[in-house]
Amino acid sequence: MALVFRVAMQFVGILLSLLGWVLSIITTFLPHWKNLNLDLNEMENWTVGLWQTCVTQEEVGMQCKDFDSFLALPAELRISRILMFLSNGLGFLGLLVSGFGLDCLRIGERQQDVKKQLLILGGILFWTAGVTALVPVSWVAHRTVQEFWDETIPEIVPRWEFGEALFIGWFAGFSLLLGGCLLNWAACGTQIPLASGHYAVAEMQTQCSYLENGTANPSV
């Protein structure tokens, strides 16, 4: 029963981490970090991402333009690019490392300590990936709220609001954190007993060694 529970926790943890990693990649390249709806022209909608700004018009559709300079971007967008790429890389490493530590993988069945360490390391990588995904989206959201309620800006000036990418990024970050927690719980909270089949294989190898040496098994 403990083995089934352990494998189930690993499976759910990997799925959540994989989902969070995919969503973090989508968040990185989605041009909807901030939205701007113009009251004077409701048929026009502006969006801003980490790489480009887009305008959507009813007759023309969506048109996007890449940012000309990285250094000309606001600080939160520059740092967000770096952190999101770091989150994507850490998530990919976490999937590789924790994948080799899964109990359902037949590789390294006799090295349970190594597989446990791989699971723990994978969980830590997922934690780090989740934090590095939550920081940029939360920072951009904080700056958006500050600018929205800035009293020095005239009321006639349109205000930026939260885009869909921020909500996807939050979900991705928490999925990575939860997936890492489940993997570490499965690695540290439950112990897997050595399967009886392993004892049979070990006993058979012992018998073969005695036969090759031409000696009798002293246990008999």
Side-chain angles (χ1 to χ4, degrees):
M1 188 65 183
L3 176 60
V4 176
F5 178 75
R6 176 188 173 98
V7 173
M9 294 292 290
Q10 293 177 4
F11 182 72
V12 175
I14 283 291
L15 283 184
L16 281 175
S17 302
L18 177 61
L19 176 62
W21 177 64
V22 172
L23 291 179
S24 68
I25 296 177
I26 295 175
T27 302
T28 303
F29 297 99
L30 193 65
H32 293 86
W33 283 59
K34 295 193 293 185
N35 293 340
L36 179 66
N37 295 318
L38 300 178
D39 294 334
L40 299 178
N41 188 3
E42 297 181 355
M43 301 173 62
E44 186 175 280
N45 182 30
W46 289 79
T47 60
V48 169
L50 298 180
W51 307 94
Q52 57 190 358
T53 178
C54 300
V55 57
T56 303
Q57 297 174 331
E58 185 174 349
E59 297 179 355
V60 181
M62 177 179 288
Q63 295 179 324
C64 298
K65 182 180 184 300
D66 296 335
F67 293 122
D68 297 328
S69 174
F70 173 78
L71 298 178
L73 294 174
E76 63 269 18
L77 294 185
R78 295 199 306 268
I79 302 301
S80 294
R81 281 190 183 184
I82 299 173
L83 290 179
M84 290 305 298
F85 268 122
L86 182 60
S87 175
N88 298 336
L90 290 173
F92 179 71
L93 288 177
L95 288 172
L96 287 180
V97 172
S98 59
F100 286 105
L102 296 177
D103 290 333
C104 58
L105 192 66
R106 307 295 294 181
I107 300 177
E109 286 183 324
R110 297 182 178 277
Q111 299 175 341
Q112 291 299 324
D113 291 338
V114 176
K115 293 172 75 72
K116 177 181 178 180
Q117 293 174 0
L118 289 176
L119 275 182
I120 295 176
L121 178 59
I124 295 175
L125 289 173
F126 287 137
W127 283 347
T128 311
V131 172
T132 52
L134 290 174
V135 168
V137 294
S138 300
W139 189 4
V140 172
H142 175 67
R143 291 291 301 167
T144 303
V145 172
Q146 281 186 328
E147 296 173 358
F148 186 88
W149 296 108
D150 191 353
E151 297 180 354
T152 61
I153 301 178
E155 295 184 0
I156 194 174
V157 177
R159 310 296 177 97
W160 291 98
E161 299 184 8
F162 291 171
E164 294 84 353
L166 296 183
F167 299 99
I168 298 176
W170 278 320
F171 187 81
F174 285 117
S175 296
L176 287 168
L177 287 176
L178 182 58
C181 290
L182 291 177
L183 288 178
N184 279 272
W185 187 13
C188 301
T190 57
Q191 297 294 332
I192 177 174
L194 187 63
S196 59
H198 293 173
Y199 289 111
V201 173
E203 181 67 21
M204 183 180 297
Q205 291 177 347
T206 304
Q207 294 289 346
C208 291
S209 64
Y210 284 122
L211 291 175
E212 291 175 357
N213 296 331
T215 60
N217 189 346
S219 62
V220 179

